[in-house]
Amino acid sequence: MALTIDKSQTAVVALDLENDIVHESGAFKDFGFAAQVKERRVLSNAGKVLGAARNAKVFVMYVGVKYRPGYPERAINCGMWQAVAQSNALVEGSWGSQVHADVAPLPGEPVVAKHGISAFCSSDLAAILRTKGIRNLFLMGVATNFVVEGTAREASDMGFNVFVVEDCCAAANKEAHEMALKSALPSLTTIVKSDEVIAALK
């Protein structure tokens, strides 16, 4: 069954596609994310979805995790944030905090900064979506089991219709990606492929 959406109430949201996370030279290059992004062709697939959204005049926005030097916004309360701080990663204004060049935002497309797992954490994402009258969210990003799942959980609670573009997502390994897709996400979202989204946007 073909995917149908109201384009005027739809946003494509790119999550945490920052150099430190997805680039082969990023701070987290040894964590597995960049290798999975390459293997799964995440940036290529996401680029095609972004292009289709722009052609269809569908709202495109980005969310990235960013911190001031010294991480004053973030309690270093678990292993994840310890790794970020020890790597001096995702510092606002640095190359590592920038969106990967292959999927970079165009002028005028919002880039929202967050300080936790979910895209809604300490960000103005919800306010922007409300202002734009958005009801349908197409999520793509890294990692599937962190930002994508975390954002999906919160968006579902807030009443959004959430779609996860599976081949535009990756985790540190194949198992973590697949577990997220098989556990919570099917109950909270509609899982789709990039070609389905592109067809629906034509």
Side-chain angles (χ1 to χ4, degrees):
M1 184 173 173
L3 178 65
T4 58
I5 55 171
D6 182 341
K7 298 176 188 176
S8 68
Q9 296 183 331
T10 297
V12 171
V13 187
L15 302 167
D16 289 5
L17 296 179
E18 294 160 286
N19 288 321
D20 271 342
I21 299 171
V22 303
H23 197 286
E24 291 176 308
S25 298
F28 301 150
K29 61 183 180 296
D30 297 328
F31 289 21
F33 301 119
Q36 284 295 304
V37 164
K38 184 177 181 179
E39 181 178 322
R40 293 180 48 74
R41 299 178 56 81
V42 166
L43 298 179
S44 175
N45 293 336
K48 292 173 184 176
V49 172
L50 290 166
R54 289 161 178 152
N55 288 339
K57 308 300 183 188
V58 165
F59 187 55
V60 170
M61 65 181 305
Y62 293 73
V63 180
V65 57
K66 305 176 193 300
Y67 301 101
R68 296 177 182 89
Y71 305 95
E73 310 91 342
R74 179 71 255 169
I76 309 302
N77 58 331
C78 64
M80 174 178 290
W81 307 124
Q82 290 166 10
V84 169
Q86 289 167 3
S87 303
N88 196 34
L90 301 167
V91 175
E92 196 172 60
S94 68
W95 171 84
S97 73
Q98 294 172 10
V99 176
H100 193 290
D102 289 355
V103 288
L106 298 184
E109 293 176 345
V111 181
V112 171
K114 67 180 178 95
H115 303 314
I117 301 297
S118 166
F120 294 99
C121 182
S122 304
S123 82
D124 55 2
L125 173 60
I128 294 172
L129 296 174
R130 283 196 298 268
T131 298
K132 291 291 184 179
I134 300 299
R135 294 187 53 81
N136 309 308
L137 300 181
F138 284 83
L139 305 181
M140 50 190 190
V142 179
T144 319
N145 57 328
F146 286 111
V147 66
V148 176
E149 182 173 326
T151 302
R153 286 175 180 272
E154 198 160 351
S156 177
D157 279 348
M158 295 169 70
F160 291 102
N161 303 314
V162 186
F163 301 81
V164 171
V165 191
E166 183 271 336
D167 56 338
C168 296
C169 300
N173 53 62
K174 181 180 178 181
E175 292 75 19
H177 171 76
E178 292 182 348
M179 182 60 70
L181 294 175
K182 291 176 181 177
S183 56
L185 286 174
S187 299
L188 300 170
T189 75
T190 301
I191 297 172
V192 295
K193 295 277 192 180
S194 58
D195 57 356
E196 296 177 80
V197 181
I198 291 167
L201 292 174
K202 289 182 178 177

